[in-house]
Amino acid sequence: MDMMTMVQRLTAVYGISGREAAVAEEIRRMAEPYADEIWTDRLGNLICHKKGEGPKMMFAAHLDSIGLIVTHIESAGFLRVAKIGGVRPEKILHSLVRFENGTIGTIASSGTDLGKLSMEDLYVDIGAESREEAEKKVSVGDAAVYMGQPVQTGTTLFSPYLDDRLGCVILLKTMELAADSPNDLYFVFTVQEEVGLCGAHTAAHGIVPDYGIAVDVTCTDDVPGSRHTVSAALGKGAGIKVMDGSLMCHGAVVERLKELAAGHGIPAQPDLMSAGGTDAGPMHISHDGVLAGGISIPCRGIHSPVEMADLGDVDACIRLAAAFASSRLE
Ligand SMILES: [Zn+2]
């Protein structure tokens, strides 16, 4: 299956943190030809195992996306909401959102100072004229995700769900390319990353890998006004994670990824994020320690309704992940 078809299929399904089953099901169908066994664990992580005699490697990409959850329905039919994951109020005003049952709304604000928006200022308007009318479509506890079709123009890709459905696509493509790997490979599509790196934590405890690689988006330093607290740039290749808010990557993994990129002619760049975690963090500190690192997709507008990535970078991430999955390590 070509990559854009995969992106389209994985971004069409609803999958907020805690409700990832539809995304997992779509991935299971795509992964079946490439895995020896596939199962879903108790929390909902989808685990695809390709057996091998070499070291145990766990690759993780998360299924879930961020969004908003209804906390209160006003008498006039407007929905008050709390955030699920790292939602920034100033990035989402006037965006469309959709609920799991297909109900669509727009994010509006009752605040007067648009420069100082907080979540308490925001509400979702689904066009209902009363609480009774709203309750026919939505209940307290229902959650909504940003709305938007993926768009490709040249090598640039836009979608609200690049974080981390693009990582899931990279894992699927890596499974395909690493068919002859000598290693014992676990491709784990994790749940609830956006609310505390939960799925990778329990999956790593179950699998007990020797190596762990998280594949996720990373912020870029190439936009106007950037304060240089991150390092990646769009179009400069796969990010080799050095650190993020959840770990300092193991030096052996960082060096190995650098060597593989250089040896295979894969464009790559260092990836440092001073805040924000990834699934590499919980893998790193599971059991008596896992040699963990990350392969990162440079992405502008992370956690906004329009995330942007470069398909050349995605290709580099796939090649680097496949090279690591196939490499002979002790
Ligand atoms: Zn992510």
Side-chain angles (χ1 to χ4, degrees):
M1 188 183 295
D2 75 274
M3 209 182 69
M4 270 313 288
T5 307
M6 285 176 155
V7 169
Q8 269 154 358
R9 281 176 57 175
L10 293 190
T11 55
V13 274
Y14 177 94
I16 201 162
S17 303
R19 305 278 292 179
E20 301 93 343
V23 192
E25 189 48 42
E26 197 66 44
I27 291 174
R28 175 193 286 272
R29 281 195 283 267
M30 294 181 194
E32 253 158 13
Y34 309 107
D36 295 316
E37 49 181 352
I38 302 180
W39 70 96
T40 303
D41 73 6
R42 198 177 285 151
L43 284 197
N45 295 305
L46 181 76
I47 302 173
C48 305
H49 183 202
K50 204 191 90 47
K51 294 176 185 168
E53 298 299 320
K56 223 184 242 193
M57 293 181 179
M58 173 173 164
F59 289 84
H62 65 92
L63 297 164
D64 58 316
S65 58
I66 60 169
L68 303 171
I69 187 162
V70 179
T71 53
H72 174 77
I73 303 177
E74 294 191 346
S75 56
F78 300 114
L79 316 176
R80 290 292 175 172
V81 288
K83 61 182 180 179
I84 295 180
V87 172
R88 301 267 293 276
E90 70 277 12
K91 287 187 177 180
I92 63 173
L93 191 58
H94 308 307
S95 303
L96 283 174
V97 292
R98 65 176 165 125
F99 288 84
E100 192 167 16
N101 67 3
T103 298
I104 291 170
T106 178
I107 301 170
S109 168
S110 54
T112 48
D113 184 352
L114 293 184
K116 290 184 183 164
L117 275 186
S118 71
M119 284 307 296
E120 291 75 28
D121 295 319
L122 299 185
Y123 61 91
V124 172
D125 183 355
I126 58 169
E129 289 180 1
S130 65
R131 179 180 292 139
E132 291 67 34
E133 196 184 325
E135 283 175 342
K136 288 179 187 154
K137 297 176 175 174
V138 172
S139 302
V140 169
D142 286 354
V145 294
Y146 305 141
M147 214 179 143
Q149 298 291 324
V151 176
Q152 182 192 346
T153 166
T155 63
T156 305
L157 180 61
F158 302 92
S159 159
Y161 315 115
L162 298 184
D163 178 11
D164 189 27
R165 305 289 160 79
L166 206 45
C168 296
V169 168
I170 289 169
L171 252 58
L172 284 162
K173 282 288 178 193
T174 303
M175 287 173 75
E176 228 176 296
L177 290 179
D180 299 323
S181 166
N183 301 315
D184 200 27
L185 303 178
Y186 291 80
F187 296 92
V188 183
F189 300 88
T190 62
V191 295
Q192 299 194 34
E193 190 268 358
E194 298 287 7
V195 292
L197 316 175
C198 306
H201 185 94
T202 58
H205 274 282
I207 291 168
V208 196
D210 300 302
Y211 293 89
I213 300 286
V215 179
D216 206 338
V217 295
T218 191
C219 298
T220 67
D221 188 37
D222 57 0
V223 289
S226 177
R227 307 289 296 273
H228 314 307
T229 56
V230 297
S231 63
L234 215 68
K236 297 280 194 302
I240 296 176
K241 185 177 288 299
V242 176
M243 65 165 285
D244 63 33
S246 64
L247 87 164
M248 296 300 299
C249 297
H250 196 281
V253 175
V254 176
E255 287 311 310
R256 188 70 181 139
L257 287 170
K258 280 189 200 168
E259 284 166 19
L260 287 167
H264 288 78
I266 301 167
Q269 56 183 324
D271 168 41
L272 289 82
M273 273 201 320
S274 54
T278 59
D279 281 343
M283 287 195 278
H284 174 64
I285 52 169
S286 62
H287 290 279
D288 53 354
V290 171
L291 303 190
I295 295 175
S296 306
I297 316 152
C299 183
R300 292 183 188 155
I302 289 180
H303 287 190
S304 83
V306 189
E307 298 176 330
M308 176 185 193
D310 176 78
L311 291 171
D313 294 339
V314 176
D315 182 62
C317 289
I318 293 168
R319 290 168 61 206
L320 186 55
F324 191 85
S326 302
S327 79
R328 293 200 175 268
L329 297 165
E330 290 312 313

